[in-house]
Amino acid sequence: MSTNMQTNSALAEDPHLRRGPRGYPLLPGGYGRSTYYTGAPSPYAVRGQGCRVWDDRGRELIDANNNFTSLIHGNAHPEIAEAAVKALSSGASWGIPNLHEWELADLLLSRLPDLDQVRFANSGTEAVMSAVRIARASTGRDRVIVTKGGYHGTSDVALAPGGPANARGVPRGVIDDVTPVPLNDVEFLRRSVEAAPGAYAAIILDLLPNRAGLLHISEEFVTTARDLATRHGIVLIIDEVISLRLGAHGLSGEYGVSPDLLTTGKTIGGGFAVGAIAGLGELMSEVDPTRPGSLPHGGTFSGNPVSMAAGAVALRLYDESEVKRLNALGDAARESVAGRVADAGWEVRGRGSLLRAVPAGSAQVDASTQHRLWWESYNRGLLGSPANLLSLSTPMDQVVADEIADRLADAVLAVADAQN
Ligand SMILES: Cc1ncc(COP(=O)(O)O)c(C=O)c1O
């Protein structure tokens, strides 16, 4: 693996090596986000256009990372760029409301016909954090159920179920308030709720949890969660930060399940920082400032006109036919790769425009295998996430999807070869 990481002379000027007077790299570990980490010094993005990214090592890559699935229209989409520049040239953000918030709220809620209101945030992390607070305030309860191995951002509650390494720094009390339920274990879910029915404020579900291996949540698990929530006055939060892209009404629409609160982000910002909590009016009114005793909700940049204007164009362009087209491309790519890697002991998971290759049957893939596959993909001109989640974007067509499938299959076979 080390060959391609160290050979380029560009590394001589790698900002990883830039250190302050006391010897520390200016960015911890050399990274501005821990989630960039792929086991070795990373290439730097220099430019992106459509479904391609060019890096500082001179490599052209098919961008199937899409900034962790958020670039649904790829890089520098002309209409999104135009909307963002237009908004920015009238002022980056203001301390009074702007009309772009209403436009994006309208577009988002038109996709979520069972929900009434929306509040914007700056990230999925913030959206989930606020949704949990709304659930706790409205129920007067503290405890929260999440599925084991899932990821809901980096708030205390979201990190609590991740095991001792993930939850370092999270107060004991928060950890004690979170019940992790094994994925698709209907009985465990039922028992957890029924053992303490008045204790739970929320059940949080991601219907296709990437960190848990991009495994599907069963219909039975989802309907049980919905039913338990309704019967016991628990708020069902469906976290669609990634999965909203998978259906015209999000993945919850595909499942035919209505959350009480839905959190999202990524795709709805056109590539800019965004998060959103959409929900039933009776819950969302917890943050209605005209009501005495309402919950504080702010964020200096929440609802900023640039993210809102770019997001509105992104949602308009990602209409039902594009959702279907991208999902069909993804379905075909998954099938094509699966057929080529099965004998090597790998499988391809996902749904619609999301795919991920993993050793067959694995729940959590070890970091060194993930990193090895990332570099093997990179060496073949394919950029995925460090966990090898690949997402399609609308500039992609059949030719690009075939190219992704070819490169991914080759990369998987190289990893499997090296491991045997
Ligand atoms: C399901 C889910 N929830 C929440 C988050 C956090 O979103 P953000 O990275 O925008 O804070 C993510 C991020 O990948 C996610 O996948």
Side-chain angles (χ1 to χ4, degrees):
M1 178 163 75
S2 59
T3 47
N4 270 287
M5 292 179 236
Q6 309 292 353
T7 48
N8 198 304
S9 61
L11 278 181
E13 283 152 32
D14 192 331
H16 281 94
L17 304 179
R18 219 182 293 153
R19 289 171 189 270
R22 298 206 310 126
Y24 289 104
L26 301 186
L27 301 170
Y31 294 92
R33 292 184 217 168
S34 297
T35 44
Y36 287 141
Y37 187 57
T38 53
S42 174
Y44 284 76
V46 172
R47 188 168 76 81
Q49 190 66 54
C51 60
R52 285 171 210 276
V53 162
W54 289 264
D55 73 12
D56 64 336
R57 301 180 189 182
R59 207 175 269 274
E60 177 181 312
L61 300 152
I62 297 179
D63 186 8
N65 176 312
N66 281 307
N67 192 14
F68 294 81
T69 78
S70 61
L71 302 180
I72 191 76
H73 299 295
N75 296 266
H77 188 287
E79 286 174 62
I80 296 175
E82 189 190 340
V85 168
K86 193 165 165 220
L88 177 61
S89 60
S90 300
S93 57
W94 301 292
I96 56 173
N98 69 84
L99 292 171
H100 297 292
E101 293 176 75
W102 287 91
E103 189 187 9
L104 188 58
D106 195 11
L107 286 164
L108 181 58
L109 288 171
S110 69
R111 288 174 184 237
L112 307 169
D114 296 334
L115 302 180
D116 305 304
Q117 294 188 306
V118 61
R119 266 295 171 85
F120 293 107
N122 298 296
S123 65
T125 292
E126 275 183 40
V128 172
M129 184 183 75
S130 296
V132 169
R133 184 156 311 125
I134 290 170
R136 284 174 161 165
S138 70
T139 57
R141 305 167 181 174
D142 289 339
R143 295 183 67 176
V144 172
I145 284 179
V146 296
T147 50
K148 233 178 204 163
Y151 179 70
H152 301 282
T154 49
S155 66
D156 280 356
V157 164
L159 290 176
N166 246 2
R168 285 178 62 228
V170 177
R172 185 79 249 161
V174 176
I175 294 171
D176 290 345
D177 277 336
V178 176
T179 304
V181 171
L183 210 62
N184 293 330
D185 191 334
V186 172
E187 274 323 300
F188 194 107
L189 174 65
R190 200 189 304 280
R191 273 201 313 276
S192 302
V193 172
E194 287 174 355
Y200 286 103
I203 299 174
I204 311 177
L205 293 184
D206 173 353
L207 303 176
L208 191 67
N210 178 39
R211 295 263 177 115
L214 211 65
L215 289 163
H216 289 242
I217 295 224
S218 70
E219 302 254 349
E220 190 192 3
F221 192 80
V222 177
T223 49
T224 304
R226 175 65 279 174
D227 180 55
L228 287 167
T230 305
R231 276 197 290 125
H232 297 291
I234 300 167
V235 176
L236 179 64
I237 302 173
I238 299 196
D239 183 1
E240 297 231 31
V241 167
I242 289 185
S243 65
L244 192 78
R245 59 157 52 223
L246 294 174
H249 306 288
L251 188 50
S252 46
E254 300 295 299
Y255 271 77
V257 62
S258 281
D260 302 313
L261 294 175
L262 179 145
T263 50
T264 190
K266 301 207 192 247
T267 51
I268 67 158
F272 290 85
V274 80
I277 314 108
L280 298 174
E282 47 279 34
L283 292 171
M284 295 301 291
S285 62
E286 290 287 353
V287 292
D288 172 354
T290 67
R291 280 184 20 148
S294 65
L295 296 178
H297 172 254
T300 302
F301 300 106
S302 293
N304 75 79
V306 180
S307 296
M308 299 293 103
V313 175
L315 272 191
R316 272 210 185 86
L317 292 172
Y318 194 53
D319 58 17
E320 192 161 359
S321 69
E322 278 298 82
V323 174
K324 282 195 175 132
R325 185 180 70 83
L326 274 201
N327 281 346
L329 283 181
D331 289 342
R334 257 193 323 282
E335 202 182 317
S336 150
V337 180
R340 285 183 264 174
V341 301
D343 286 349
W346 281 63
E347 62 179 305
V348 188
R349 297 197 189 137
R351 177 176 178 135
S353 59
L354 298 172
L355 55 150
R356 179 174 170 189
V358 295
S362 57
Q364 302 224 308
V365 185
D366 63 274
S368 76
T369 303
Q370 290 186 171
H371 292 162
R372 195 176 278 277
L373 180 56
W374 190 90
W375 284 101
E376 292 293 354
S377 302
Y378 172 81
N379 292 339
R380 289 163 177 78
L382 175 62
L383 184 65
S385 81
N388 302 295
L389 175 64
L390 305 186
S391 62
L392 305 186
S393 63
T394 60
M396 293 177 181
D397 57 15
Q398 190 62 59
V399 174
V400 177
D402 289 346
E403 203 47 56
I404 289 174
D406 290 347
R407 294 178 194 192
L408 177 60
D410 279 359
V412 168
L413 294 177
V415 172
D417 233 24
Q419 286 178 334
N420 287 330

